[in-house]
């Protein structure tokens, strides 16, 4: 494991670039064409809440602030060609982090560090985090680890979720390495849940395999909404996200967008719903 303080990272000048690229959906994600996230829709999207707090409710932004704990182990499957995986993982992590209430006796502001672990192969494809491009509240607290092997990456991830001085951990691994089997996944889940440190593991160019992750997403870049004042400028990042497996939440699809201090989501009809609607129309 190589741990270099001055390698703190990569990010978001790359983030906007990664996320603004209107790319074709990957073969692992739904192939339906999606419209850009419209700011006019945002109010009803986020506020459309009130689905109840029971475990069977649909996922929505800000869920951690509504009494449901953030998932301690999430997997984000994404292609390596558009950088959507890391950006979406960070957006999901920040949404949970900013909405999680602080326990009594703790400082009002969470000053803990953020651990970012990358396999060297993954960094070669998608780049490293770029600190000036990161959101301001995490820009100076990212600790970047570059691992040569999957075993080293798993070691760093597990050490990270065992440390209570870490706010959350983001990992990026390429493909389906043998070391990341169900046993290793289970170890990460148990460690994260025991110590209360969420893990968001990006699986680049990987196929869904056995895992104990509590939430599993398919993510790809989506067209950005048009910039308000300059139509020629790139819009804010957007992602097509499919929650295909989750403990306590129904599967669903959303267009996620960067709303600055909050994550925005526009719900999409499921394939079954679309099929039902088309059959009604044809009848």
């Amino acid at each position: 494991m190589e741990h270099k303080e001055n390698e703190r990272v990569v990010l978001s000048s790359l983030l906007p670039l990664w996320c603004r690229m209107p790319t074709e959906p990957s073969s692992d994600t739904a192939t339906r064409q999606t419209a850009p996230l419209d700011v006019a829709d945002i109010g009803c999207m986020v506020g459309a809440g009130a689905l109840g707090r029971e475990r069977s409710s649909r996922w929505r932004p800000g869920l951690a602030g509504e009494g449901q704990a953030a998932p301690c182990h999430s997997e984000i499957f994404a292609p390596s060609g558009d950088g959507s995986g890391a950006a979406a993982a960070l957006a999901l992590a920040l949404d949970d982090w900013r909405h999680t209430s602080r326990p009594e006796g703790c400082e009002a502001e969470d000053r803990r560090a953020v651990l970012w672990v990358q396999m060297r192969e993954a960094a070669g494809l998608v780049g490293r985090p770029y600190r000036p491009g990161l959101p301001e509240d995490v820009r100076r607290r990212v600790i970047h680890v570059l691992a040569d092997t999957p075993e080293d990456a798993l070691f760093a991830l597990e050490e990270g979720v065992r440390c209570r001085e870490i706010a959350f951990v983001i990992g990026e691994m390429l493909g389906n390495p043998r070391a990341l089997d169900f046993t290793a996944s289970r170890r990460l889940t148990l460690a994260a849940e025991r110590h209360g440190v969420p893990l968001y593991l990006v699986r680049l160019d990987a196929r869904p395999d056995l895992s104990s992750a509590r939430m599993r997403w398919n993510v790809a870049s989506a067209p950005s909404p048009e910039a308000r004042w300059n139509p020629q400028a790139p819009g804010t990042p957007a992602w097509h996200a499919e929650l295909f497996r989750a403990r306590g939440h129904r599967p669903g699809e959303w267009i996620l967008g960067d709303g600055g201090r909050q994550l925005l989501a526009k719900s999409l009809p499921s394939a079954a719903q679309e099929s039902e609607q088309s059959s009604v129309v044809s009848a």
Side-chain angles (χ1 to χ4, degrees):
M1 179 178 67
E2 183 179 350
H3 188 164
K4 298 180 178 179
E5 182 71 20
N6 60 1
E7 283 185 350
R8 297 179 178 180
V9 205
V10 181
L11 218 28
S12 200
S13 68
L14 291 181
L15 279 186
L17 295 178
W18 289 340
C19 306
R20 289 166 184 160
M21 296 173 59
T23 61
E24 294 295 329
S26 72
S27 57
D28 290 333
T29 59
T31 57
R32 297 199 303 283
Q33 193 68 31
T34 56
L37 188 66
D38 190 337
V39 176
D41 294 333
I42 289 172
C44 61
M45 299 184 300
V46 178
L51 291 177
R53 294 181 178 179
E54 61 273 18
R55 294 175 58 81
S56 61
S57 63
R58 290 190 89 185
W59 173 88
R60 57 194 178 278
L63 202 62
E66 299 179 18
Q68 294 199 27
C72 278
H73 183 187
S74 299
E75 285 188 333
I76 297 94
F77 290 82
S80 62
D82 60 8
S84 58
L90 181 61
L92 290 168
L94 291 176
D95 182 70
D96 290 331
W97 180 53
R98 288 167 176 163
H99 287 91
T100 301
S101 58
R102 301 278 290 157
E104 291 186 11
C106 294
E107 293 183 85
E109 182 182 356
D110 189 345
R111 301 177 185 274
R112 294 178 295 172
V114 172
L115 179 64
W116 197 300
V117 180
Q118 284 185 304
M119 280 180 57
R120 192 176 294 278
E121 290 178 304
L125 290 174
V126 301
R128 303 183 187 185
Y130 179 63
R131 189 166 59 180
L134 287 168
E136 187 173 354
D137 50 356
V138 298
R139 189 172 299 166
R140 300 187 180 281
R141 59 177 81 194
V142 171
I143 300 172
H144 183 231
V145 175
L146 203 56
D148 288 326
T149 67
E151 290 79 5
D152 287 345
L154 291 171
F155 174 80
L157 292 172
E158 186 170 343
E159 290 299 302
V161 297
R162 288 178 181 276
C163 180
R164 298 181 190 275
E165 293 305 312
I166 299 292
F168 58 84
V169 178
I170 291 179
E172 290 183 77
M173 299 188 71
L174 181 65
N176 295 82
R178 181 175 298 180
L180 184 54
D181 56 12
F182 183 79
T183 301
S185 175
R186 181 70 172 161
R187 285 177 60 92
L188 292 174
T189 301
L190 293 177
E193 291 181 344
R194 180 174 183 180
H195 298 278
V197 180
L199 166 64
Y200 301 83
L201 181 57
V202 181
R203 306 285 306 276
L204 297 169
D205 297 337
R207 63 179 185 283
D209 46 10
L210 287 177
S211 171
S212 65
R214 304 310 190 201
M215 278 192 173
R216 307 189 85 188
W217 297 85
N218 275 323
V219 168
S221 294
S224 297
E226 187 175 277
R228 184 176 182 181
W229 303 112
N230 182 3
Q232 303 303 316
T236 55
W239 307 273
H240 182 160
E242 176 196 10
L243 179 63
F244 65 93
R245 179 180 177 275
R247 171 177 288 190
H249 297 280
R250 295 200 301 271
E253 293 182 59
W254 294 263
I255 294 296
L256 303 181
D258 182 2
R261 297 290 301 175
Q262 61 180 345
L263 182 64
L264 308 174
K266 178 179 181 180
S267 184
L268 298 175
S270 66
Q273 289 174 319
E274 284 191 340
S275 176
E276 182 178 344
Q277 291 174 357
S278 62
S279 63
V280 171
V281 172
S282 61

